[in-house]
Amino acid sequence: MPDPAARDAAEEASAFSHPAVAPDASAAYGDHPDQVIDFYAPRDGRTRVPLVVALHGGAWRAPYDRLHLTPFVDFLARRGFAVANVEYRRGSDIPRQGGAAPVAGRWPETFDDVAAALDAVPELAAAHLPQADTGRIVLTGHSAGGHLALWAAARHVLPAGSPWRLPAPPALRGVVALAPIAHFATAVELGVCGGAVTELLGGETEYATRAAHADPAALLPTGIATTVVQGREDVVVPHTVAEAYAEASAKAGEEPGLTLLEGIGHFPLIDPSADACAVVAEEITQLAF
């Protein structure tokens, strides 16, 4: 049996080995340099195709930006989708005192940005990606981006008074969340990404209050078609996190899809050279068409 750490390192190296792919257009949704969306047209020349909105992962930490997701985004464009690749503000490059990794996320800016970006997508896509049918939007994201995708689809069930709450469900065909940090209690128990969840919410003293506004497992039911794709050998965000979310969703009366891929870790889901990436594209296709 291969060493899990060695397998993960090899899968990460493969996923990050592809050169970044430049967008066909870019547009700002705010004044900060990170408030930008890159647009990718379908490579087959078709028009009026579903729009996939993608949110990158990286534990909400600054060193990981949208560039590492561009090979995956280009893969979807080559499958006939229009794609919007969203950037958002992440944590500082500097670790907290006593910490070993850059800070995970900014409160509330990370959530401000994702909400603003999703609200701006239809208008910006109409202007910069005319091939996109904004009446057929599928939201996807990987790891921390999977969390943000699930959160963005649940804004209409945020607590009353939340600045991000929507008065009605967002106009989405559905969500395909890839190895998402989808159940905060389980992720905290497992120490996922070096305690990134607690950092995202501003520390232990803020966790209990803010989790109600940020934990996808607390924002159910959404009424939005949702599928989670997860590698069973994932050592970054273990499959038990996805299973805990699926269980919470089912208890809330929903029927989430949960696709567990045998022999697959965290990174093949966004690696165009991996078979798992084709599985992801098929899950998106099933919701989009």
Side-chain angles (χ1 to χ4, degrees), residues 140-175:
T140 193
H142 177 241
S143 195
H147 155 261
L148 293 171
L150 293 170
W151 177 83
R155 288 170 58 202
H156 58 295
V157 295
L158 283 166
S162 168
W164 309 302
R165 183 181 169 96
L166 291 176
L172 298 172
R173 284 291 180 95
V175 181

Short mmCIF file of all heavy atoms in Angstrom, two decimals, residues 140-175:
data_model
loop_
_atom_site.label_atom_id
_atom_site.label_comp_id
_atom_site.label_asym_id
_atom_site.label_seq_id
_atom_site.Cartn_x
_atom_site.Cartn_y
_atom_site.Cartn_z
N THR A 140 -18.91 25.75 -8.55
CA THR A 140 -18.00 24.72 -8.10
C THR A 140 -16.84 25.34 -7.34
O THR A 140 -16.59 26.55 -7.43
CB THR A 140 -17.47 23.87 -9.29
OG1 THR A 140 -16.82 22.69 -8.79
CG2 THR A 140 -16.48 24.66 -10.14
N GLY A 141 -16.15 24.53 -6.57
CA GLY A 141 -15.00 25.01 -5.82
C GLY A 141 -14.28 23.82 -5.21
O GLY A 141 -14.87 22.77 -4.98
N HIS A 142 -12.99 24.00 -4.96
CA HIS A 142 -12.16 22.92 -4.46
C HIS A 142 -11.64 23.26 -3.07
O HIS A 142 -11.14 24.35 -2.82
CB HIS A 142 -10.96 22.71 -5.41
CG HIS A 142 -10.00 21.66 -4.96
ND1 HIS A 142 -8.68 21.92 -4.68
CD2 HIS A 142 -10.18 20.33 -4.75
CE1 HIS A 142 -8.07 20.80 -4.32
NE2 HIS A 142 -8.96 19.82 -4.36
N SER A 143 -11.81 22.33 -2.14
CA SER A 143 -11.26 22.45 -0.79
C SER A 143 -11.87 23.65 -0.07
O SER A 143 -13.08 23.70 0.14
CB SER A 143 -9.73 22.53 -0.88
OG SER A 143 -9.14 22.31 0.37
N ALA A 144 -11.07 24.67 0.28
CA ALA A 144 -11.65 25.88 0.87
C ALA A 144 -12.60 26.55 -0.10
O ALA A 144 -13.60 27.16 0.30
CB ALA A 144 -10.54 26.84 1.28
N GLY A 145 -12.31 26.45 -1.39
CA GLY A 145 -13.23 26.97 -2.39
C GLY A 145 -14.52 26.19 -2.46
O GLY A 145 -15.58 26.74 -2.79
N GLY A 146 -14.45 24.90 -2.14
CA GLY A 146 -15.67 24.10 -2.05
C GLY A 146 -16.54 24.56 -0.90
O GLY A 146 -17.78 24.62 -1.02
N HIS A 147 -15.90 24.92 0.21
CA HIS A 147 -16.65 25.51 1.32
C HIS A 147 -17.35 26.78 0.87
O HIS A 147 -18.55 26.98 1.13
CB HIS A 147 -15.72 25.84 2.49
CG HIS A 147 -16.23 26.92 3.37
ND1 HIS A 147 -15.80 28.23 3.26
CD2 HIS A 147 -17.21 26.93 4.33
CE1 HIS A 147 -16.47 28.98 4.12
NE2 HIS A 147 -17.32 28.21 4.78
N LEU A 148 -16.61 27.66 0.18
CA LEU A 148 -17.19 28.94 -0.24
C LEU A 148 -18.32 28.74 -1.24
O LEU A 148 -19.29 29.51 -1.24
CB LEU A 148 -16.10 29.83 -0.81
CG LEU A 148 -15.05 30.31 0.20
CD1 LEU A 148 -13.89 31.01 -0.51
CD2 LEU A 148 -15.67 31.21 1.26
N ALA A 149 -18.21 27.73 -2.10
CA ALA A 149 -19.28 27.44 -3.05
C ALA A 149 -20.55 27.01 -2.31
O ALA A 149 -21.66 27.48 -2.63
CB ALA A 149 -18.83 26.36 -4.04
N LEU A 150 -20.41 26.12 -1.35
CA LEU A 150 -21.58 25.69 -0.57
C LEU A 150 -22.16 26.87 0.20
O LEU A 150 -23.39 27.02 0.29
CB LEU A 150 -21.18 24.57 0.38
CG LEU A 150 -20.79 23.24 -0.26
CD1 LEU A 150 -20.20 22.31 0.79
CD2 LEU A 150 -21.98 22.58 -0.94
N TRP A 151 -21.29 27.69 0.76
CA TRP A 151 -21.76 28.87 1.51
C TRP A 151 -22.51 29.83 0.60
O TRP A 151 -23.59 30.33 0.97
CB TRP A 151 -20.57 29.56 2.17
CG TRP A 151 -20.94 30.81 2.90
CD1 TRP A 151 -21.44 30.90 4.17
CD2 TRP A 151 -20.89 32.15 2.38
NE1 TRP A 151 -21.69 32.23 4.48
CE2 TRP A 151 -21.36 33.01 3.40
CE3 TRP A 151 -20.48 32.71 1.17
CZ2 TRP A 151 -21.44 34.39 3.24
CZ3 TRP A 151 -20.56 34.10 0.99
CH2 TRP A 151 -21.03 34.91 2.03
N ALA A 152 -21.96 30.10 -0.57
CA ALA A 152 -22.59 31.05 -1.48
C ALA A 152 -23.97 30.58 -1.92
O ALA A 152 -24.86 31.40 -2.17
CB ALA A 152 -21.70 31.28 -2.70
N ALA A 153 -24.16 29.27 -2.02
CA ALA A 153 -25.46 28.72 -2.40
C ALA A 153 -26.45 28.72 -1.25
O ALA A 153 -27.64 28.43 -1.46
CB ALA A 153 -25.27 27.29 -2.92
N ALA A 154 -25.99 29.05 -0.05
CA ALA A 154 -26.84 29.01 1.14
C ALA A 154 -27.10 30.38 1.73
O ALA A 154 -27.60 30.49 2.86
CB ALA A 154 -26.20 28.10 2.20
N ARG A 155 -26.82 31.43 0.99
CA ARG A 155 -26.94 32.78 1.55
C ARG A 155 -28.38 33.13 1.92
O ARG A 155 -28.60 33.97 2.82
CB ARG A 155 -26.36 33.81 0.59
CG ARG A 155 -24.83 33.76 0.51
CD ARG A 155 -24.31 34.62 -0.63
NE ARG A 155 -24.73 36.00 -0.50
CZ ARG A 155 -24.80 36.86 -1.51
NH1 ARG A 155 -24.48 36.47 -2.74
NH2 ARG A 155 -25.17 38.11 -1.30
N HIS A 156 -29.33 32.52 1.28
CA HIS A 156 -30.74 32.82 1.60
C HIS A 156 -31.19 32.19 2.91
O HIS A 156 -32.29 32.50 3.38
CB HIS A 156 -31.64 32.34 0.46
CG HIS A 156 -31.51 30.88 0.15
ND1 HIS A 156 -30.35 30.33 -0.33
CD2 HIS A 156 -32.40 29.85 0.27
CE1 HIS A 156 -30.52 29.02 -0.51
NE2 HIS A 156 -31.74 28.71 -0.14
N VAL A 157 -30.37 31.32 3.50
CA VAL A 157 -30.72 30.74 4.80
C VAL A 157 -29.75 31.20 5.89
O VAL A 157 -29.74 30.64 6.99
CB VAL A 157 -30.79 29.20 4.74
CG1 VAL A 157 -31.91 28.77 3.83
CG2 VAL A 157 -29.48 28.58 4.29
N LEU A 158 -28.97 32.22 5.59
CA LEU A 158 -28.12 32.81 6.63
C LEU A 158 -29.00 33.41 7.74
O LEU A 158 -30.16 33.76 7.51
CB LEU A 158 -27.24 33.91 6.04
CG LEU A 158 -26.02 33.45 5.24
CD1 LEU A 158 -25.44 34.61 4.45
CD2 LEU A 158 -24.97 32.86 6.18
N PRO A 159 -28.46 33.53 8.94
CA PRO A 159 -29.24 34.12 10.04
C PRO A 159 -29.75 35.51 9.68
O PRO A 159 -29.10 36.27 8.95
CB PRO A 159 -28.24 34.18 11.19
CG PRO A 159 -27.26 33.09 10.90
CD PRO A 159 -27.13 33.06 9.41
N ALA A 160 -30.93 35.83 10.19
CA ALA A 160 -31.50 37.16 9.95
C ALA A 160 -30.51 38.23 10.41
O ALA A 160 -29.89 38.12 11.47
CB ALA A 160 -32.82 37.30 10.70
N GLY A 161 -30.39 39.26 9.62
CA GLY A 161 -29.47 40.34 9.94
C GLY A 161 -28.09 40.18 9.36
O GLY A 161 -27.28 41.12 9.41
N SER A 162 -27.79 39.01 8.78
CA SER A 162 -26.48 38.83 8.15
C SER A 162 -26.36 39.77 6.96
O SER A 162 -27.28 39.87 6.13
CB SER A 162 -26.32 37.38 7.68
OG SER A 162 -25.18 37.27 6.84
N PRO A 163 -25.21 40.42 6.80
CA PRO A 163 -25.05 41.34 5.66
C PRO A 163 -24.99 40.62 4.32
O PRO A 163 -25.12 41.25 3.27
CB PRO A 163 -23.72 42.03 5.96
CG PRO A 163 -22.97 41.06 6.82
CD PRO A 163 -24.03 40.40 7.67
N TRP A 164 -24.81 39.30 4.35
CA TRP A 164 -24.68 38.53 3.11
C TRP A 164 -25.98 37.80 2.74
O TRP A 164 -26.04 37.14 1.71
CB TRP A 164 -23.56 37.51 3.24
CG TRP A 164 -22.27 38.11 3.72
CD1 TRP A 164 -21.57 39.12 3.13
CD2 TRP A 164 -21.54 37.75 4.89
NE1 TRP A 164 -20.44 39.41 3.85
CE2 TRP A 164 -20.39 38.59 4.94
CE3 TRP A 164 -21.73 36.81 5.90
CZ2 TRP A 164 -19.44 38.50 5.97
CZ3 TRP A 164 -20.79 36.71 6.92
CH2 TRP A 164 -19.67 37.56 6.95
N ARG A 165 -26.98 37.93 3.58
CA ARG A 165 -28.21 37.17 3.35
C ARG A 165 -28.94 37.65 2.09
O ARG A 165 -29.05 38.85 1.84
CB ARG A 165 -29.14 37.31 4.56
CG ARG A 165 -30.43 36.49 4.46
CD ARG A 165 -31.30 36.69 5.69
NE ARG A 165 -32.63 36.12 5.50
CZ ARG A 165 -33.01 34.92 5.91
NH1 ARG A 165 -32.15 34.15 6.54
NH2 ARG A 165 -34.22 34.49 5.69
N LEU A 166 -29.43 36.69 1.31
CA LEU A 166 -30.26 36.98 0.15
C LEU A 166 -31.73 36.77 0.49
O LEU A 166 -32.06 35.88 1.29
CB LEU A 166 -29.87 36.06 -1.01
CG LEU A 166 -28.50 36.26 -1.66
CD1 LEU A 166 -28.25 35.19 -2.71
CD2 LEU A 166 -28.39 37.65 -2.28
N PRO A 167 -32.62 37.53 -0.12
CA PRO A 167 -34.05 37.36 0.18
C PRO A 167 -34.66 36.12 -0.45
O PRO A 167 -35.75 35.70 -0.06
CB PRO A 167 -34.67 38.63 -0.41
CG PRO A 167 -33.74 39.04 -1.51
CD PRO A 167 -32.38 38.67 -1.02
N ALA A 168 -33.96 35.51 -1.41
CA ALA A 168 -34.46 34.33 -2.10
C ALA A 168 -33.27 33.48 -2.51
O ALA A 168 -32.13 33.97 -2.54
CB ALA A 168 -35.28 34.73 -3.33
N PRO A 169 -33.50 32.22 -2.84
CA PRO A 169 -32.37 31.37 -3.26
C PRO A 169 -31.66 31.94 -4.47
O PRO A 169 -32.30 32.53 -5.36
CB PRO A 169 -33.05 30.03 -3.59
CG PRO A 169 -34.32 30.04 -2.81
CD PRO A 169 -34.77 31.47 -2.77
N PRO A 170 -30.34 31.80 -4.54
CA PRO A 170 -29.62 32.28 -5.72
C PRO A 170 -30.01 31.48 -6.96
O PRO A 170 -30.40 30.31 -6.86
CB PRO A 170 -28.16 32.06 -5.35
CG PRO A 170 -28.18 30.97 -4.33
CD PRO A 170 -29.45 31.16 -3.57
N ALA A 171 -29.91 32.11 -8.11
CA ALA A 171 -30.31 31.47 -9.36
C ALA A 171 -29.20 30.54 -9.84
O ALA A 171 -28.34 30.94 -10.66
CB ALA A 171 -30.63 32.53 -10.41
N LEU A 172 -29.18 29.34 -9.30
CA LEU A 172 -28.16 28.36 -9.63
C LEU A 172 -28.81 27.05 -10.09
O LEU A 172 -29.85 26.66 -9.57
CB LEU A 172 -27.30 28.04 -8.40
CG LEU A 172 -26.49 29.18 -7.77
CD1 LEU A 172 -25.87 28.71 -6.46
CD2 LEU A 172 -25.42 29.67 -8.73
N ARG A 173 -28.17 26.40 -11.07
CA ARG A 173 -28.57 25.04 -11.40
C ARG A 173 -28.15 24.06 -10.31
O ARG A 173 -28.76 23.02 -10.13
CB ARG A 173 -27.95 24.63 -12.75
CG ARG A 173 -28.64 25.22 -13.97
CD ARG A 173 -30.03 24.62 -14.15
NE ARG A 173 -30.72 25.15 -15.30
CZ ARG A 173 -30.73 24.58 -16.51
NH1 ARG A 173 -30.04 23.48 -16.72
NH2 ARG A 173 -31.40 25.12 -17.50
N GLY A 174 -27.07 24.41 -9.62
CA GLY A 174 -26.61 23.56 -8.54
C GLY A 174 -25.16 23.85 -8.18
O GLY A 174 -24.53 24.77 -8.71
N VAL A 175 -24.66 23.04 -7.25
CA VAL A 175 -23.30 23.17 -6.74
C VAL A 175 -22.61 21.82 -6.85
O VAL A 175 -23.19 20.79 -6.47
CB VAL A 175 -23.29 23.62 -5.26
CG1 VAL A 175 -21.85 23.76 -4.76
CG2 VAL A 175 -24.05 24.91 -5.08
#
